[in-house]
Structure formats: structure tokens, C-alpha cells
Amino acid sequence: MDINQYLEMFIEESKEHLQACNDHLLELEKNPQDLSIVNEVFRSAHTLKGMSATMGYEDIANLTHKMENVLDEIRNSRLNVTPELLDVVFVAVDQLEEMVFNIAEGGDGKLNVEETVRKLHEIETGEIEVAATVVNNVSSTSLENYLTYDDYEMTVIQQSAEQNYYSYEISIKLREDCLLKAARVYMVFELLEKMGDVIKSSPSVEKLEDEDFDEQFYVAFVTTETQADVQKKLMKVSEVTEVIVNTVSLEQLKKRQSEAFEKEGSTVIELQTEEKPTTEVKATGEKQVATKNNQTHGNKTIRVNIERLDILMNLFEELVIDRGRLQSISENLHDSELEETVERMARITGDLQNIILTMRMVPVDTVFNRFPKMVRQLARDLNKKINLQVIGADTELDRTVIDEIGDPLVHLIRNSLDHGIESPEIRKAKGKPEEGTVILRAYHSGNHVFIEIEDDGAGISRERVLKKAIAKNIVTPEAATAMSDKQVAELILSSGFSTAEVISDVSGRGVGLDVVKTTIESLGGSIDISSTEGQGSLFSIQLPLTLSIISVMLVELGEEIFAVPLSSIIETAIIRSSDILNAHNQKVIDFRGKVVPLVFLEEVFEVPNERLEEEFHSVVLVRKGDKMAGLVVDSFIGQQEIVLKTLGTYLSSVFAISGATILGNGKVALIIDCNALIR
């Protein structure tokens, strides 16, 4: 078998299973007696073991097998969940991730995991003292835990009994090392359908087909065959190791359903308050609470290589350029029929643009999901108690932005944990809860996405920041006294700035937040800081929804055309020459009571202009955070959607130019980087 054709699928599915392990292990730490969570981790580990063994990655298969053994001890109530045990399991998951990422980069997926394997074995055999008493009040496993019925299914069972059919609940167990579980399930179902009718299964048929279960599954079945015959026939299926067939009556099922509702009613209500799609809801104790409608109306998705989406986007970008050219030709020819056709084409390409951009959108959860485990480990390293709250993880951003935003967020969160949140002793002395709170929040606003990191820690010390800023000649002592608290807080974004007395591995080894600022601004975004000393800080990042197609204001400078992103523009204005003032060798205007510096773009970009001094000037007012500037141009052309093209590596350092675009008339317009012009 040529396994290379399955490599990409193996890598993607492995990443998903490992992320599921991380998420469920964090949940398990909060609810150590919830065995349903252990079952979820076990399933992911078991599936990963099977996939890696099939693909020939023995190190992954062996480590997952040892981890699986420990999880099996927990779910069979022979081990208690402790922080020490979870530490070892988290290390195992980290090493599995390292091996999978190595494979994704073209490596062989090998890693020395002997130490972790040894620790897992010692935990399993009880050599490490994490084993404890059996968890109390855990009932023995039976089919009652896995099969529940809705009214339609109960009616089918009742009608079958009236026609002298037997109703059975069947447990089928496959070999633990079975590699083709879906094929064995298919053989079991094919045999059952020859004998009678399958009412339902647990897990669902979709999950069985996707091999999203461990070695055991359950079936409700009606037939005229005897209990013994059904059991014998199913045992003949290859790699089936155990078949248990129980006869059930309608009265038994009704009684069970009634008891289950009384016992689990509070669980169902609690689950319904979760703000998640109902198809993802699972109750504790492995009871299935999703309705039949939830199962049949799930989202249908396919995997598409991201390179194909990039190609599609590039082709569409060319189409946008041609659309602009057609509109330009149509306006010059004044042909009504052509104008009507071009208008219709513009509407269709507009709809197509929305669809393509939506296809490229990715939930920020793909970045956020790495942080809970990181915060857990950092909290232990720093001896702090920290509660991380994630809000708005389903907010979507363009994949290009998602790829770049991860590292800045890591830096900000580490900074918040290291410098922001105080130790439990200090917090207690200040009258605060010993546990600090860090909130990671994302939300849409207009054509932007905002990501915020908020903490209830010590805040930013004005005195310490100014002392360091003056020492590094970032500000003068005179200027420091006139600065607002917000301006002082934003000094920490200056190059090389750090208030850390001791350089640590946690928040950047003395590297300042200027790296974060530079990365965010390179994405067309901005970062804003607000802080109250003693109460906490809020870092707010504003990002564009997409970097591929943007709305701009086209302006004219001499014979050249430039584009100013609408996301940076406050408004446009026409001012008199007499309204221009001088302050500290800088030309400024009074804009609604605020002094705004003017930037003459023809001087910045050295554009030849032989026109005489004019009485009026066209000004584009732009903003970066709280700072503003007025860009002086010759004239406004109008708004337009354009395709952003990079200038390439040779022109990457051109001042105040972020890219270029091709206009409808075939000319190239340079895109102005407003952030570089505002100081």
C-alpha cells in the first residue's frame, strides 16, 4: 500500500486528535472524577495509535500506546487523576505534537521518548505514587449507559414486538490492535441487516465510519433470529473478540428512560446552556443526548488543500483587476449595453469575492486553543494561580492574518502572566483573590477584528516606565512630566524597552514589545494599551478582516496615483493655505480643537510638481491609535476596492509604502503605509 497518498490526511487528523487531547486534559484537571472526559481522551489517543501504526510511525504508536494504558487505568477506576499524573501525560502529548510536526516538515517523526515512556509505565504499574483508591459511586458499565431512544425508535420497537420480532441490545468488541475498524463495522452491519433491522447505534453510524470510537460499539436490533444465533454469527466476523446480546422489552426501556431522565435531568439542562452547536454536545457518563435531528443535519465539510484556495484567490485577484479595467473602458465609451453588462459582472464578482473571502476565513480558535495549556504550565513555573477565560474563539479572520498573529499573542499573554499578575501572597495582601484572571477576547467590529488581552494584575507603573524611558533616552525628563497615563503605558512598545529587573524565559528574555507592535502594524493593524496601576491592563489589537482585497481612497500627486487604506482614514477635507500654522518647525492645522500635523506627500515621495502655491489644499485625515495626521495631496479620485500586491524582497524597505496595485487603466498605484507617517 502506498501510504504517501494518505500522509497529508494523517498529519491533519493527528493535529486534530492531539488538540482534542489537550482540550480534554485541561477539562479533566478541573473535573478529575468525570470519566466521560477520560473516555474522550482515550478515543483520540487510540485513533492516533492506530493511524500512526498503519503509517509506520512506530515512535508515535508506542508512546500513544503507553499513554493509552494509563488512561485505561483511570477510566477503569484503578488510578486517580492528579496534577502529577497530568504533568506526565501533557509531556507525552507535547512530544507527540513534536513528532507530528516533524513529519509535516518532511522528517521521519522519530524522537527519544524513553524517559516519558518509563514514567508512564511506572504510573501504570503503581511505581509512582499517583495511584489511589477507586473512585466512589462509579457504577459498572452496561448497555444502559450507551443506548437511549427517542419516541420514534420506541414506536419501532413496539411495532416489532407486535409482529413477533425479538428486540436486542448488542455490544460488539473488536481487537485492540484492529487497524481497519471501519471495515469490521461494515461487515457487522452487513450481517445484521441480513438478519433483521438496526434501530440505532452508539456511537452514531457517522462516527463508526470515521473510526471515531475505541474498540467497542453498541447496536439496537430487531430480528426473528434467536439470541444465541445472533451471537454466533457475529462472532464469525474477523477481529471481533466479544459479542454480548441482551433481550430487551418495551417496558424495560420505558422504565430505564424514566429513571435516566430523573437522574440526568440537571445534566441535560446544564448542557443546553452551553453556547455551542448542539451537534457537539455530549453528556457525562457517555450518555448520548443529541437528538436524531442533530445527527442528520450536521455540517457537511470537505478538506481542501490551502494551496488550492491561494490559487483561487490569486485568479480572483486578476479578475478584480480586469473588472476595474472593464469599468474604466465602459465609462469612456458611454455604451449603455456595455455599461449594463459590466454592472452585472461587477455584482456577480462582488458576490464571488464574498464567497472566496469567507472560504479563507478561519476561527481565531485555531490560535487561541494553544493558550490554555501554555497558561497552565506558566502558572506552575511562576507559582501563580491564574484563571484564563477565552471569549469569542469562533470569531473569524483571514488565514493570512491568523498565520502571523500567533507569536504576538504568545508574547502578550506571557507578558501579562509574568509582569501583570502578582503572586498569590501579594494579591492576598492587596485584598485581591489569590487567583488572577486573564481574559482573551475576540470580536468583530465593522471591517476589523479586535483581539484583547485583559488582566486584573498590577497594571503598568508610571514611575518605573518613565524612569526606564528617561534612562534609555526615549523621552526627556521635561516631556515625561506632561505625558498622560495612556502615553506612558504606550512607551513599553518602544524599541528595546523592558522594565524587567531580571531577564527571564517567560516574557521575552528582555526583548521589548516593539516586536509585537511591528508585526501587528505589518498586518495593517494597530495596538492600544490602557492600564490602571494596581487594577490591571488591557492590550487591544485591531486587525483587518483580510489582507488580500482592501478598500482604498485613490489620490493624485502630480502625475502619480497613490492609494490610502480606508481603514486608516477618518475623513477628507479641503483647507485654506491661511489655515496652516507652524508649531515646533512643523506645519499643523486645528482640526476640531485638536492640533494635527500635516504631511506633504509630494515631499515624502519626492514627486515632481511644478504647480504654483495654491489657495486650497486637499487633506486626508488618518489615524493610528490616538495619534492623527493630515496627508496633503493634489486631489481626491475616489474610493475603490483594490488587490494588494507586495513589492517583493528587493523593495521591502521602501519608506511608507506597504504594497502596490494595478488599476483599471493598467497603471500601478502605490499603497501608502499610514502608520509609518504618523509619529
Side-chain angles (χ1 to χ4, degrees):
M1 180 179 71
D2 181 16
I3 64 171
N4 288 327
Q5 60 180 316
Y6 302 112
L7 183 59
E8 188 176 331
M9 185 183 297
F10 165 77
I11 292 168
E12 289 304 314
E13 292 193 3
S14 295
K15 288 178 180 178
E16 289 174 7
H17 284 300
L18 288 170
Q19 185 57 51
C21 284
N22 278 323
D23 293 343
H24 287 119
L25 286 170
L26 289 166
E27 189 63 30
L28 183 62
E29 190 167 38
K30 297 175 185 175
N31 305 284
Q33 293 196 0
D34 190 342
L35 297 185
S36 68
I37 302 173
V38 182
N39 283 323
E40 294 295 336
V41 183
F42 185 90
R43 285 195 189 98
S44 293
H46 187 77
T47 304
L48 180 59
K49 182 185 76 173
M51 291 193 308
S52 55
T54 304
M55 297 293 290
Y57 298 117
E58 292 302 323
D59 284 359
I60 296 178
N62 292 338
L63 180 56
T64 315
H65 179 66
K66 290 296 181 184
M67 189 173 87
E68 190 183 55
N69 289 347
V70 171
L71 294 169
D72 196 45
E73 292 293 300
I74 296 171
R75 68 179 191 158
N76 286 304
S77 304
R78 291 190 289 270
L79 279 177
N80 265 356
V81 176
T82 66
E84 293 75 22
L85 181 149
L86 287 176
D87 283 345
V88 178
V89 177
F90 271 123
V91 169
V93 174
D94 286 343
Q95 291 179 334
L96 289 169
E97 285 180 334
E98 188 176 343
M99 287 188 276
V100 169
F101 279 102
N102 177 256
I103 294 167
E105 293 167 0
D108 57 8
K110 291 189 177 296
L111 186 69
N112 185 356
V113 294
E114 290 182 6
E115 179 67 15
T116 308
V117 168
R118 180 184 62 78
K119 287 182 178 179
L120 289 170
H121 179 72
E122 289 175 353
I123 290 172
E124 179 191 352
T125 56
E127 294 175 43
I128 292 181
E129 289 299 323
V130 294
T133 56
V134 174
V135 179
N136 293 325
N137 302 321
V138 178
S139 60
S140 60
T141 303
S142 70
L143 294 185
E144 295 178 18
N145 295 106
Y146 297 95
L147 291 170
T148 58
Y149 303 89
D150 58 26
D151 292 341
Y152 171 77
E153 291 158 349
M154 295 284 276
T155 302
V156 171
I157 292 171
Q158 180 181 359
Q159 291 176 349
S160 299
E162 291 170 357
Q163 297 175 26
N164 297 320
Y165 277 73
Y166 299 112
S167 296
Y168 299 128
E169 288 183 333
I170 308 171
S171 165
I172 300 112
K173 191 171 186 179
L174 304 178
R175 278 176 48 178
E176 189 175 336
D177 59 351
C178 177
L179 298 180
L180 299 172
K181 294 194 291 184
R184 302 307 172 207
V185 170
Y186 174 80
M187 293 169 69
V188 167
F189 273 71
E190 187 179 40
L191 187 57
L192 288 171
E193 284 166 1
K194 288 179 180 177
M195 293 187 286
D197 292 308
V198 176
I199 304 300
K200 76 177 304 174
S201 67
S202 177
S204 65
V205 173
E206 291 83 0
K207 288 191 175 183
L208 292 173
E209 289 175 347
D210 292 338
E211 299 191 354
D212 186 11
F213 68 105
D214 47 31
E215 67 271 10
Q216 199 163 8
F217 62 99
Y218 310 88
V219 177
F221 181 61
V222 293
T223 180
T224 56
E225 301 268 355
T226 64
Q227 191 173 352
D229 287 345
V230 171
Q231 197 266 349
K232 287 176 183 176
K233 289 180 180 180
L234 290 177
M235 281 299 296
K236 290 184 179 180
V237 176
S238 177
E239 295 192 291
V240 170
T241 59
E242 181 183 79
V243 175
I244 300 172
V245 183
N246 290 339
T247 304
V248 291
S249 66
L250 189 65
E251 290 71 25
Q252 285 177 304
L253 295 180
K254 285 181 177 178
K255 183 180 179 183
R256 183 200 303 172
Q257 299 282 81
S258 175
E259 291 173 351
F261 277 123
E262 289 176 9
K263 191 180 296 182
E264 301 294 333
S266 60
T267 304
V268 174
I269 293 170
E270 181 184 334
L271 287 169
Q272 288 173 342
T273 63
E274 293 284 335
E275 294 182 3
K276 294 181 179 179
T278 51
T279 51
E280 295 179 1
V281 173
K282 293 182 179 67
T284 60
E286 292 296 293
K287 290 182 173 61
Q288 185 173 326
V289 298
T291 66
K292 194 168 185 178
N293 288 335
N294 294 148
Q295 294 169 358
T296 57
H297 295 291
N299 291 330
K300 294 181 179 179
T301 59
I302 59 170
R303 293 182 185 274
V304 179
N305 190 311
I306 196 66
E307 290 178 3
R308 294 185 181 181
L309 287 181
D310 289 339
I311 292 169
L312 179 62
M313 192 65 190
N314 289 335
L315 290 172
F316 180 73
E317 287 171 355
E318 297 301 321
L319 187 60
V320 170
I321 293 169
D322 289 337
R323 178 183 70 184
R325 186 160 177 75
L326 273 174
Q327 287 172 329
S328 179
I329 293 170
S330 171
E331 289 169 3
N332 292 333
L333 292 177
H334 301 292
D335 184 299
S336 59
E337 196 170 329
L338 177 60
E339 287 177 358
E340 186 179 330
T341 304
V342 170
E343 187 179 334
R344 175 170 170 76
M345 179 187 174
R347 285 200 303 270
I348 293 171
T349 52
D351 292 340
L352 182 59
Q353 174 181 323
N354 290 333
I355 292 171
I356 292 175
L357 291 178
T358 301
M359 287 169 62
R360 289 174 56 86
M361 291 294 182
V362 180
V364 293
D365 186 50
T366 57
V367 177
F368 284 10
N369 60 23
R370 75 171 86 164
F371 297 136
K373 187 172 76 169
M374 183 187 86
V375 170
R376 172 192 182 271
Q377 189 57 49
L378 285 176
R380 292 171 73 87
D381 293 343
L382 296 167
N383 293 317
K384 294 179 179 180
K385 297 179 180 179
I386 297 169
N387 172 33
L388 175 67
Q389 297 177 14
V390 178
I391 301 170
D394 56 348
T395 305
E396 293 186 330
L397 257 176
D398 189 278
R399 183 190 66 86
T400 310
V401 183
I402 287 284
D403 290 346
E404 299 294 332
I405 198 61
D407 288 343
L409 290 179
V410 168
H411 198 118
L412 287 173
I413 291 174
R414 283 173 169 265
N415 185 75
S416 183
L417 268 59
D418 193 14
H419 298 308
I421 302 295
E422 312 96 328
S423 66
E425 297 78 20
I426 293 175
R427 290 181 65 86
K428 190 174 181 180
K430 289 181 177 180
K432 293 182 177 181
E434 289 188 11
E435 183 179 70
T437 300
V438 175
I439 301 173
L440 180 59
R441 182 188 299 111
Y443 59 91
H444 280 123
S445 180
N447 289 323
H448 293 88
V449 166
F450 286 83
I451 298 177
E452 297 178 344
I453 297 97
E454 183 179 2
D455 67 65
D456 65 348
I460 296 173
S461 169
R462 178 186 176 93
E463 182 183 345
R464 287 181 64 196
V465 170
L466 285 177
K467 182 180 177 182
K468 184 72 73 170
I470 293 169
K472 287 184 170 286
N473 295 319
I474 295 173
V475 296
T476 63
E478 295 76 21
T481 57
M483 296 179 75
S484 67
D485 288 345
K486 190 172 184 62
Q487 289 172 323
V488 171
E490 289 180 351
L491 286 174
I492 68 173
L493 299 174
S494 304
S495 179
F497 189 94
S498 176
T499 58
E501 300 297 334
V502 179
I503 292 175
S504 72
D505 288 326
V506 175
S507 58
R509 296 196 56 80
V511 176
L513 293 174
D514 62 303
V515 177
V516 173
K517 179 185 176 185
T518 302
T519 303
I520 290 168
E521 289 184 351
S522 71
L523 295 171
S526 61
I527 180 169
D528 183 69
I529 304 173
S530 57
S531 177
T532 303
E533 192 168 348
Q535 296 182 22
S537 303
L538 172 65
F539 291 78
S540 180
I541 299 170
Q542 177 181 316
L543 294 163
L545 280 175
T546 178
L547 297 180
S548 303
I549 298 175
I550 61 173
S551 297
V552 297
M553 165 73 75
L554 295 178
V555 298
E556 200 169 28
L557 280 175
E559 296 182 1
E560 303 294 333
I561 296 175
F562 289 82
V564 183
L566 283 184
S567 58
S568 298
I569 297 176
I570 304 171
E571 63 179 271
T572 57
I574 305 292
I575 63 169
R576 289 179 178 272
S577 296
S578 57
D579 292 335
I580 299 176
L581 309 171
N582 282 291
H584 305 292
N585 297 320
Q586 167 75 57
K587 291 184 177 181
V588 298
I589 58 171
D590 183 350
F591 177 70
R592 295 175 185 168
K594 186 170 183 178
V595 176
V596 177
L598 294 179
V599 179
F600 289 81
L601 294 183
E602 62 181 25
E603 297 174 6
V604 174
F605 300 126
E606 300 179 2
V607 178
N609 195 340
E610 298 178 357
R611 287 189 295 180
L612 300 174
E613 183 70 26
E614 296 183 349
E615 183 182 355
F616 295 96
H617 295 278
S618 301
V619 178
V620 182
L621 291 152
V622 294
R623 179 199 299 275
K624 180 178 78 170
D626 287 340
K627 298 177 181 178
M628 294 171 57
L631 309 183
V632 181
V633 300
D634 289 346
S635 62
F636 309 128
I637 296 175
Q639 295 183 22
Q640 187 173 320
E641 281 192 332
I642 55 102
V643 176
L644 177 64
K645 298 287 188 181
T646 60
L647 295 177
T649 54
Y650 292 108
L651 298 173
S652 59
S653 59
V654 177
F655 175 69
I657 296 295
S658 60
T661 188
I662 302 171
L663 301 176
N665 58 10
K667 288 186 177 181
V668 173
L670 296 177
I671 301 166
I672 295 173
D673 180 5
C674 297
N675 290 332
L677 296 171
I678 303 174
R679 293 178 181 156

